[in-house]
Amino acid sequence: MRYAEIKDEVVTFVLPAILSGDYKVLPLGTVKLPLDSTVTVGMLYAAGSFRDRTATELKAYARPKFDAQRTALFLATQWVRERAGDLREMDRLGARTLTAADITLWKAWLTYWTTLRDMPSQPDFDPRTPVWPTQPE
């Protein structure tokens, strides 16, 4: 016999048959499986049956992780926005003049942040396989 552990209607673990005899007490939410079962981690379990997730369900499941990664990228570059503000203030006060390289780099950062912001609105967007933009150097 094999067993599948279910949490919030999602298969989180499938115990191989070879190990099932080693477990005298199984966690709550464990369901018995026939030996020839094709149940795998990530499948959904409801009303006594298992099914694969649809593409839409898989994308919805991956979206929070994508959002967290994108937020982390924005936060990791906060120092660039702060430094740019300092440079603009120094330029305004005459303490330092912005160079063409400063402006070019700032435009590259704006493009990077805009691309990050707009990723979910792209027609081919899939949060399971994001193509992250490259940070300017």
Side-chain angles (χ1 to χ4, degrees):
M1 186 60 64
R2 294 174 58 208
Y3 297 92
E5 188 173 328
I6 313 297
K7 182 176 181 186
D8 298 326
E9 297 185 346
V10 177
V11 176
T12 58
F13 181 74
V14 176
L15 183 65
I18 196 166
L19 298 177
S20 65
D22 296 341
Y23 289 84
K24 304 302 179 210
V25 178
L26 296 168
L28 288 176
T30 302
V31 176
K32 286 184 180 182
L33 302 172
L35 286 176
D36 61 350
S37 168
T38 58
V39 172
T40 58
V41 170
M43 292 179 83
L44 296 180
Y45 178 76
S49 64
F50 295 91
R51 70 172 176 83
D52 287 321
R53 294 183 196 194
T54 65
T56 301
E57 289 169 331
L58 289 168
K59 287 179 181 181
Y61 181 77
R63 183 59 191 260
K65 181 179 177 185
F66 165 82
D67 288 339
Q69 288 174 318
R70 185 172 60 145
T71 298
L73 290 171
F74 277 121
L75 293 174
T77 58
Q78 177 65 32
W79 66 272
V80 175
R81 290 184 288 282
E82 292 168 0
R83 182 172 181 271
D86 293 344
L87 289 175
R88 285 192 304 273
E89 182 64 14
M90 289 169 62
D91 183 57
R92 187 183 69 77
L93 297 172
R96 182 184 188 282
T97 302
L98 291 176
T99 66
D102 292 331
I103 294 168
T104 299
L105 184 58
W106 178 247
K107 287 180 180 180
W109 278 108
L110 289 175
T111 299
Y112 171 77
W113 292 319
T114 301
T115 303
L116 271 179
R117 180 197 68 200
D118 294 344
M119 285 177 70
S121 64
Q122 300 304 314
D124 59 345
F125 171 70
D126 186 338
R128 297 171 295 175
T129 56
V131 178
W132 299 104
T134 303
Q135 289 184 3
E137 293 183 16

